[in-house]
């Protein structure tokens, strides 16, 4: 009964994140891909995404702040990659902000890029917190299920 | 084989494909993909090829592969987050057999892969049959009753022509 309650709480939480626009349907697709052969799939993808995205954000920041004349082509490619991985996870807000950042890169607008990077950094912090709660709930559910078997 | 410079996409693709009991081999850029295919004893059943990659683009990889391998030997599905008509057109002009948007939709991707593998197998089947028919025709000409040969040859030629036409449509 308790695991059913946690499962319901988990589903409700994901729905809430979708309603907030933090995640989209793609995250549900990842949850559906998780199976007995890979029971930690979602947690692994989340961890991989958080690590990879942190590195990308740091690199974008360095390209915009430490270099006199940013290479906007290289920046655009990096942001495109970040957009792609965000979309694959279902990180809707971040993927959207990456689209906007790409537009600034393509128009070589440094100040616009800096502003959008700041928005991405804020959105990323929010996403990390939300995903941490999801992982915690999922771990509780698995622990309950293990105790019952 | 999946060729993509983004690690998240690769992980998701692998989970998606292994759920169908397919084995996925990964390459993270175009050059590595070409080297792996060159070195492999057996071609992959199908290639999922990202468009935008550092160094060599998916278009260039596809163009180079098509110089050596037809669709019957190596179906190629190009994948991209871009959906503009010019991107899709360029993919097909470089020799791709299909174009799929990222992020992947599980059912759509798996059904497209199955369809391309079915088409590849059918084309291989026709090629093999045509080769056997031609082989049979030439051995008829060499040693057998000329009357038999005169009757058999036009029929074989007609069959081979029909098979070749069908194979071309599948390609």
């Amino acid at each position: 009964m308790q695991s059913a309650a946690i499962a319901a709480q988990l589903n409700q939480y994901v729905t809430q994140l979708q309603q907030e626009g933090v995640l989209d349907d793609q995250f549900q697709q990842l949850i559906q891909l998780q199976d007995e052969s890979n029971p930690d799939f979602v947690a692994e993808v989340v961890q991989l995404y958080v690590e990879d995205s942190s590195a990308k954000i740091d690199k974008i920041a360095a390209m915009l702040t430490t270099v006199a004349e940013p290479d906007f082509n290289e920046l655009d490619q990096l942001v495109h990659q970040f957009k792609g991985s965000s979309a694959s996870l279902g990180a809707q807000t971040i993927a959207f902000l990456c689209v906007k950042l790409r537009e600034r890169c393509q128009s070589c607008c440094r100040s616009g890029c800096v502003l959008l990077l700041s928005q991405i950094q804020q959105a990323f912090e929010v996403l990390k917190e939300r995903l941490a709660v999801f992982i915690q709930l999922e771990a509780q559910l698995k622990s309950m299920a293990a105790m019952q078997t | 084989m999946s060729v993509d410079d983004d690690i998240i996409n690769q992980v998701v693709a692998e989970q998606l494909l292994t759920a169908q009991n397919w084995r996925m081999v990964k390459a993270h850029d175009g050059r590595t993909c070409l080297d792996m295919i060159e070195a492999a004893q057996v071609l992959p059943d199908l290639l999922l090829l990202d468009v935008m990659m550092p160094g060599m683009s998916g278009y260039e990889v596809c163009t180079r592969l098509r110089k050596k391998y037809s669709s019957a030997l190596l179906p190629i599905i190009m994948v991209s987050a871009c959906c503009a008509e010019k991107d899709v057109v360029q993919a097909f002009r470089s020799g791709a057999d299909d174009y799929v948007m990222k992020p992947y939709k599980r059912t759509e991707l798996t059904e497209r892969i199955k369809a391309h593998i079915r088409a590849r197998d059918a084309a291989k089947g026709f090629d093999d049959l045509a080769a056997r028919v031609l082989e049979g025709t030439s051995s008829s000409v060499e040693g057998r009753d000329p009357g038999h040969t005169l009757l058999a040859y036009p029929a074989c030629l007609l069959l081979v022509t029909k098979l070749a036409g069908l194979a071309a449509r599948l390609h």
Side-chain angles (χ1 to χ4, degrees):
Chain A
M1 288 297 284
Q2 229 175 343
S3 66
I6 295 176
Q9 197 181 352
L10 191 62
N11 286 335
Q12 205 176 349
Y13 187 64
V14 173
T15 304
Q16 181 194 324
L17 293 181
Q18 285 180 253
Q19 285 166 354
E20 286 175 10
V22 175
L23 294 175
D24 62 23
D25 184 58
Q26 186 62 24
F27 193 74
Q28 286 282 12
Q29 295 239 355
L30 294 187
I31 294 171
Q32 286 164 14
L33 276 178
Q34 185 162 281
D35 58 19
E36 285 167 4
S37 68
N38 197 350
D40 299 318
F41 171 67
V42 177
E44 284 170 5
V45 172
V46 165
Q47 187 183 355
L48 208 54
Y49 172 76
V50 167
E51 286 169 5
D52 185 60
S53 301
S54 296
K56 283 190 170 84
I57 288 173
D58 288 345
K59 194 170 178 186
I60 293 168
M63 287 170 83
L64 284 171
T65 55
T66 61
V67 181
E69 203 56 51
D71 183 339
F72 285 105
N73 271 336
E74 193 185 333
L75 196 57
D76 182 44
Q77 283 188 16
L78 182 58
V79 177
H80 172 79
Q81 220 184 46
F82 188 16
K83 187 201 87 172
S85 58
S86 299
S88 291
L89 183 84
Q92 188 181 28
T93 304
I94 293 183
F96 172 76
L97 288 171
C98 284
V99 169
K100 294 294 169 193
L101 180 50
R102 283 200 72 197
E103 288 170 5
R104 301 297 181 276
C105 291
Q106 285 156 16
S107 58
C108 301
C109 175
R110 188 192 195 133
S111 58
C113 288
V114 169
L115 181 62
L116 271 159
L117 176 63
S118 166
Q119 291 176 13
I120 288 173
Q121 284 166 325
Q122 285 173 32
F124 185 62
E125 291 306 312
V126 169
L127 178 66
K128 274 198 299 186
E129 284 170 22
R130 302 286 194 268
L131 289 175
V133 170
F134 173 85
I135 298 300
Q136 206 174 5
L137 281 170
E138 199 190 38
Q140 278 179 28
L141 186 61
K142 283 178 190 167
S143 161
M144 284 283 150
M147 278 165 57
Q148 282 167 5
T149 54
Chain B
M1 177 183 275
S2 171
V3 189
D4 198 324
D5 60 328
D6 186 74
I7 192 168
I8 306 297
N9 289 328
Q10 289 280 45
V11 166
V12 172
E14 188 168 32
Q15 179 69 6
L16 207 147
L17 297 178
T18 52
Q20 300 293 321
N21 293 321
W22 291 324
R23 190 174 73 94
M24 192 178 101
V25 176
K26 288 178 270 197
H28 293 289
D29 58 63
R31 184 72 261 165
T32 306
C33 162
L34 293 174
D35 291 344
M36 285 172 75
I37 288 176
E38 193 68 28
Q41 290 178 338
V42 177
L43 284 176
D45 292 300
L46 183 138
L47 195 65
L48 286 175
L49 181 57
D50 187 26
V51 169
M52 271 189 74
M53 291 185 290
M56 204 183 293
S57 73
Y59 301 129
E60 193 180 341
V61 173
C62 192
T63 303
R64 288 191 189 200
L65 286 170
R66 279 289 173 256
K67 285 179 181 162
K68 287 185 81 169
Y69 310 109
S70 67
S71 297
L73 291 172
L74 182 60
I76 297 175
I77 298 178
M78 294 203 78
V79 296
S80 179
C82 305
C83 60
E85 187 187 356
K86 62 175 178 61
D87 301 315
V88 178
V89 167
Q90 190 173 357
F92 285 115
R93 283 181 178 165
S94 60
D97 300 292
D98 205 347
Y99 190 97
V100 164
M101 292 288 298
K102 285 195 289 187
Y104 298 126
K105 296 288 180 249
R106 177 178 53 163
T107 310
E108 180 190 336
L109 181 64
T110 52
E111 292 305 319
R112 281 179 189 265
I113 289 171
K114 286 177 188 173
H116 284 290
I117 290 177
R118 278 199 303 271
R120 181 208 62 175
D121 290 346
K124 266 189 185 169
F126 278 124
D127 287 347
D128 291 345
L129 182 58
R132 283 204 300 274
V133 167
L134 283 169
E135 206 177 298
T137 307
S138 60
S139 61
S140 295
V141 167
E142 275 165 18
R144 301 222 184 130
D145 174 10
H148 240 134
T149 306
L150 284 171
L151 279 173
Y153 186 70
C156 287
L157 191 60
L158 181 62
L159 176 61
V160 167
T161 307
K162 279 192 177 299
L163 288 172
L166 274 165
R169 279 204 292 278
L170 280 168
H171 286 222

